Amino acid sequence: MRTDRIFSRLEQEPHRPRGPFPRMSPVRLGLFSATVAFYLAIVVAVLGTTWLVQLDWQVMLFRPYKQWPAIHGFLDAFVVLGQRGPTAVLVAAWLGWRSWRQRTLRPLLALGFALLLLNASVGAVKIGLGRLGPHYATEVGSAELWAGGDIFPSGHTANAVVTWGILAYLATTPRARRWLSVVAAVFALGVGATTVYLGTHWVSDVLLGWAAGLLILLGLPWCEPAIARVEALVFALRERFGTAGSWLAPNPAPPAAQPVPARQSLVGARVPTQDSGNGTRAAMPRAADEARAPASSRY
């Protein structure tokens, strides 16, 4: 199958948006716009050292981990569900199995694109604002910006939103999408609240992390054409340089059945004769398969 044929097959699949820039539904576009506005409002509130920064300090000085020490051990383990390494490996293993079952790279590529966008967007804001975390704060009431930190927005929270939310995004049935959306929301909200409890993030860090992760999920449909093209390129390269029988290659069509000529029965047929030259007529030699058969099988 050539590359153009692979692109044609991908364009015919119903779950792939068509066109270079697929249109969002009005609901998704409204959510995306509202999330962008919320994201900017959080950034402006922190830059202006408003009431949100004062709330950050009040929660930090309250020290939730000292108020409820009994749950510290559990939440210290639960927050791992927001760490990029373990969660990415776990989700990639599941999506890899799905790719193998469905013979498509779309699940893995969607995860890769989402994590790439997450690292680029969140990482740029972290480095650009350079905010220090609660444990390293130096001045009470300060926003602690441009001090060499990398805490704003919360990477744990944004990663939890994207990594678990991608499962709901790739769900194939409405029921699975609803259940996975609930699970992703529980993990994302829980991880964000846990970082505040442990004192590793400000409240505003978590709020911006939720918004950053949600923006990735809501904008991921715009990446679908690029995902389809990368998948088609991988298939084409695999077909050209790979080995036959790869799980990445499309299932080959079965060969066309060749008609089998009917064998003529020899029962009751006259055996032709030939002149032996001495006035007698001898029977011609039997067919090869009949000559090789034992006598018992011929009678």
Side-chain angles (χ1 to χ4, degrees), residues 93-106:
W94 166 254
L95 295 181
W97 179 81
R98 277 191 55 184
S99 295
W100 175 76
R101 285 289 303 272
Q102 299 173 1
R103 291 183 176 271
T104 174
L105 289 176
R106 180 175 176 262

Side-chain angles (χ1 to χ4, degrees), residues 88-132:
V89 171
L90 183 62
V91 174
W94 166 254
L95 295 181
W97 179 81
R98 277 191 55 184
S99 295
W100 175 76
R101 285 289 303 272
Q102 299 173 1
R103 291 183 176 271
T104 174
L105 289 176
R106 180 175 176 262
L108 285 175
L109 289 176
L111 175 64
F113 268 74
L115 293 180
L116 180 62
L117 291 174
L118 178 67
N119 290 336
S121 59
V122 172
V125 178
K126 280 177 175 286
I127 296 174
L129 296 179
R131 191 182 193 188
L132 293 175

Side-chain angles (χ1 to χ4, degrees), residues 255-261:
Q258 299 293 334
V260 180

Side-chain angles (χ1 to χ4, degrees), residues 11-209:
E11 291 175 356
Q12 294 174 359
E13 296 184 9
H15 64 270
R16 299 183 183 277
R18 299 180 181 180
F21 196 73
R23 296 182 59 185
M24 281 189 177
S25 66
V27 174
R28 183 181 288 268
L29 187 59
L31 289 174
F32 185 85
S33 302
T35 306
V36 170
F38 181 77
Y39 188 103
L40 294 177
I42 296 298
V43 173
V44 171
V46 172
L47 290 176
T49 316
T50 62
W51 62 269
L52 185 57
V53 176
Q54 303 305 316
L55 177 63
D56 287 340
W57 277 98
Q58 289 175 4
V59 174
M60 179 266 191
L61 296 175
F62 181 70
R63 291 181 173 83
Y65 59 91
K66 289 189 175 182
Q67 303 297 327
W68 302 286
I71 60 175
H72 189 281
F74 169 76
L75 293 181
D76 199 30
F78 177 79
V79 79
V80 176
L81 294 176
Q83 287 185 359
R84 191 157 305 152
T87 56
V89 171
L90 183 62
V91 174
W94 166 254
L95 295 181
W97 179 81
R98 277 191 55 184
S99 295
W100 175 76
R101 285 289 303 272
Q102 299 173 1
R103 291 183 176 271
T104 174
L105 289 176
R106 180 175 176 262
L108 285 175
L109 289 176
L111 175 64
F113 268 74
L115 293 180
L116 180 62
L117 291 174
L118 178 67
N119 290 336
S121 59
V122 172
V125 178
K126 280 177 175 286
I127 296 174
L129 296 179
R131 191 182 193 188
L132 293 175
H135 291 317
Y136 303 96
T138 57
E139 182 181 352
V140 176
S142 170
E144 302 293 340
L145 295 171
W146 301 294
D150 59 350
I151 209 72
F152 182 68
S154 169
H156 267 70
T157 304
N159 183 73
V161 174
V162 172
T163 306
W164 301 110
I166 196 72
L167 298 179
Y169 175 82
L170 295 171
T172 55
T173 63
R175 182 179 180 181
R177 186 173 295 109
R178 286 193 298 269
W179 279 104
L180 290 173
S181 297
V182 172
V183 172
V186 170
F187 284 172
L189 294 173
V191 168
T194 300
T195 60
V196 175
Y197 167 86
L198 296 175
T200 57
H201 278 287
W202 307 100
V203 173
S204 55
D205 296 343
V206 173
L207 294 176
L208 197 65

Side-chain angles (χ1 to χ4, degrees), residues 290-299:
E290 187 180 356
R292 289 193 299 267
S296 59
S297 65
R298 299 199 300 265
Y299 296 93

